[in-house]
Amino acid sequence: MELILENFEVNFNPATELEEILQNVKTIVTTYKYSVPLDREFGINAKLIDMPSVDVAKIKLGSAIIEAVKKYEPRAKVLQVEFSGTTIEGLLVNKLQIEVSV
């Protein structure tokens, strides 16, 4: 299953449990830690994005994504995290493969 984050809008009334889980995973991976007032640990550490080594950033971001999803959305299990992008582009884009327990 592929998560596409382009034009991501929150749906406060998801039609299915699957839609709710996918939306929760999208929210987790697009939120920076310390930006949520009542749960400062929610999300991904933004400092990982600016690491000088792309290879190290990929490893640490992948691990952070897996741990955050495991903690905040236990109905989803991250099977694989792939990254595209280079230091020349200055952009890392992640693609998650997840398994959902509905």
Side-chain angles (χ1 to χ4, degrees), residues 10-29:
V10 175
N11 178 0
F12 291 105
N13 189 21
T16 65
E17 186 176 7
L18 177 60
E19 185 181 341
E20 175 187 344
I21 294 168
L22 294 177
Q23 178 172 267
N24 290 348
V25 172
K26 289 178 188 179
T27 300
I28 292 165
V29 300

Side-chain angles (χ1 to χ4, degrees), residues 32 45-54 56-57 61 87 90 92:
Y32 294 129
N45 187 344
K47 291 181 180 180
L48 299 176
I49 295 167
D50 292 328
M51 297 190 75
S53 168
V54 173
V56 174
L61 276 171
T87 53
L92 274 180

Side-chain angles (χ1 to χ4, degrees), residues 12-85:
F12 291 105
N13 189 21
T16 65
E17 186 176 7
L18 177 60
E19 185 181 341
E20 175 187 344
I21 294 168
L22 294 177
Q23 178 172 267
N24 290 348
V25 172
K26 289 178 188 179
T27 300
I28 292 165
V29 300
T30 58
T31 302
Y32 294 129
K33 278 189 175 187
Y34 314 112
S35 67
V36 178
L38 296 177
D39 190 352
R40 297 292 184 184
E41 290 297 311
F42 183 87
I44 306 299
N45 187 344
K47 291 181 180 180
L48 299 176
I49 295 167
D50 292 328
M51 297 190 75
S53 168
V54 173
D55 293 330
V56 174
K58 288 179 182 179
I59 292 167
K60 289 191 175 195
L61 276 171
S63 177
I65 288 169
I66 291 168
E67 289 301 314
V69 171
K70 182 178 179 181
K71 179 177 181 180
Y72 290 103
E73 184 46 87
R75 298 172 293 180
K77 179 180 179 183
V78 178
L79 301 175
Q80 185 174 8
V81 181
E82 293 180 8
F83 291 95
S84 60

